[in-house]
Amino acid sequence: MKAIQITHQQELNIIELPAPGTPREGEVLLRLRYVGFCGSDLNTFMGRNAMALNPVIPGHEVGAVIEAVGPGVPEGLKPGMTVTCNPYTNCGKCASCRNQRVNACQHNETLGVQRNGAMREFLIMPWEKVIPAGLLTPDICALVEPMSVGFHAVSRAQVTDIDVVLVIGCGMVGMGAIVRSAMRGATVIAADIDDHKLELARRMGASYTVNTTGDDVHARLREMTAGFGPDVVIEAVGSTPTYQMAVDEVAFTGRVVCIGYAKAEVSFETKFFVQKELDIRGSRNAMPQDFRAVIHYLEKLYADPARHGSSLTEALITRIIRPEAALDTMRWWSQNPGKVFRILVEF
């Protein structure tokens, strides 16, 4: 079977692997239809992802169809069903697992990062990690995992309808945070460097937008929040300036939730931690309920003609390519990092 493998920095090849055999006890054989390239895959391609195998088959954003099931798989999973996957592992023994927060397992191995991923024609998964996608098509299924990471960050922030939420970074994960915050009734401010992304953020539920390169961010936020600052800031970029912005701009007694990995050390005015009595929280991956919530949202989006679900999700898919175009596409993306929501590989 055909697979995509990142071999070295700026190198990517199409390789042939043996087709998987018949699924064993508790296993599900998936035929991959669409797999998304995400920011971590770009970092792997650029040689900046220290957590990734080398070489590695990337991909953990999955839209697939069940090809076959092994013995012991629940009857709710049947051949022909459209599904996505929970790409994380959990050991069941570490402190996170003991506390039922399996998304943050100390020994997690994400598909396409610490273990070979889904950029291939077929993949065998344990049934517990296969998620029925209801009425969604396989291409839309590939958007579920990154949006679920944003949904989880909103849960970590304990967002309610009386909050003003600033989401810094309007990529796919940030869009998930915008959607979930708006669903909870919060007033959402989207911040990014790209006006096209900010326009789409409004369509996804943001009430206000801030261009962090062209606007006086501090003044705009004070104007939008009656001088208080946002109650919640969700950092979905992973850079020194945006981490500092989150702490500087959040309201007194506010909550800061960090999703992005900063590529360098970040210096803070730590007095704000104390003076503002901040809650600063990390947010990692997503829980099974976050996946279900995203699927439920996307199903409702498509069921309501007035919401133009197809045009919204089309705007989130920058390109759909065949595997043979992956190398040229990744080279283009590495030179235009701000222009991409999601690139899907069609198998």
Side-chain angles (χ1 to χ4, degrees):
M1 67 175 175
K2 187 180 297 183
I4 293 173
Q5 185 181 64
I6 297 172
T7 52
H8 295 91
Q9 183 174 337
Q10 298 278 348
E11 291 186 17
L12 180 153
N13 295 313
I14 308 299
I15 62 172
E16 286 292 327
L17 296 175
T22 303
R24 297 176 296 183
E25 179 82 22
E27 292 182 338
V28 177
L29 174 62
L30 303 179
R31 179 185 291 271
L32 279 303
R33 295 298 192 191
Y34 296 88
V35 182
F37 270 125
C38 78
S40 64
D41 299 321
L42 178 63
N43 283 326
T44 300
F45 180 73
M46 297 287 289
R48 300 188 304 219
N49 190 348
M51 295 186 294
L53 294 176
N54 185 17
V56 66
I57 297 171
H60 57 262
E61 302 172 355
V62 170
V65 173
I66 295 178
E67 185 80 2
V69 299
V73 172
E75 292 196 7
L77 296 173
K78 299 180 183 297
M81 288 181 64
T82 299
V83 297
T84 189
C85 292
N86 182 329
Y88 324 121
T89 63
N90 52 283
C91 69
K93 300 176 181 178
C94 69
S96 300
C97 291
R98 183 181 61 186
N99 292 328
Q100 305 301 309
R101 289 165 64 177
V102 296
N103 60 296
C105 174
Q106 181 179 351
H107 306 293
N108 166 66
E109 293 184 349
T110 299
L111 276 175
V113 185
Q114 296 96 340
R115 58 188 172 127
N116 282 319
M119 288 278 180
R120 60 179 87 189
E121 293 180 274
F122 294 94
L123 179 68
I124 286 182
M125 292 286 287
W127 73 261
E128 295 91 344
K129 300 296 184 180
V130 178
I131 304 170
L135 301 175
L136 301 185
T137 54
D139 56 337
I140 304 306
C141 286
L143 304 180
V144 170
E145 190 275 343
M147 290 192 77
S148 73
V149 175
F151 272 46
H152 182 68
V154 173
S155 294
R156 292 282 293 142
Q158 297 176 299
V159 170
T160 73
D161 59 348
I162 63 171
D163 288 320
V164 176
V165 179
L166 170 65
V167 178
I168 306 174
C170 296
M172 278 296 302
V173 171
M175 287 298 183
I178 289 166
V179 167
R180 191 56 161 167
S181 297
M183 289 172 68
R184 291 190 175 198
T187 300
V188 183
I189 305 169
D192 201 276
I193 62 174
D194 186 274
D195 285 333
H196 171 66
K197 290 184 176 180
L198 292 172
E199 179 185 346
L200 185 56
R202 282 188 177 271
R203 295 173 61 192
M204 303 295 285
S207 298
Y208 305 98
T209 58
V210 178
N211 187 309
T212 55
T213 58
D215 295 333
D216 183 332
V217 175
H218 179 75
R220 289 288 310 281
L221 291 177
R222 288 301 179 269
E223 177 187 335
M224 295 170 184
T225 61
F228 291 108
D231 304 287
V232 174
V233 178
I234 296 176
E235 198 287 332
V237 176
S239 73
T240 297
T242 52
Y243 262 74
Q244 292 169 333
M245 182 189 300
V247 171
D248 290 348
E249 299 300 342
V250 71
F252 273 63
T253 67
R255 288 99 73 199
V256 174
V257 174
C258 304
I259 311 174
Y261 283 89
K263 308 302 185 295
E265 292 186 2
V266 183
S267 297
F268 290 105
E269 287 284 354
T270 55
K271 67 180 182 181
F272 288 150
F273 297 6
V274 178
Q275 287 181 348
K276 293 185 177 184
E277 199 174 53
L278 298 181
D279 291 331
I280 301 177
R281 304 173 184 177
S283 182
R284 184 182 179 193
N285 300 333
M287 294 285 280
Q289 57 266 34
D290 299 310
F291 284 85
R292 295 196 301 272
V294 172
I295 291 169
H296 180 64
Y297 160 74
L298 290 171
E299 284 187 312
K300 289 178 65 178
L301 189 67
Y302 274 83
D304 183 356
R307 300 180 72 187
H308 306 289
S310 60
S311 64
L312 273 177
T313 50
E314 284 171 9
L316 294 173
I317 299 173
T318 306
R319 291 186 180 182
I320 298 177
I321 63 171
R322 299 292 292 175
E324 292 75 15
L327 176 58
D328 287 342
T329 301
M330 291 298 277
R331 285 173 173 168
W332 169 80
W333 189 12
S334 68
Q335 296 167 6
N336 300 275
K339 300 299 182 183
V340 171
F341 280 109
R342 269 306 173 270
I343 294 168
L344 303 187
V345 180
E346 181 179 6
F347 284 90

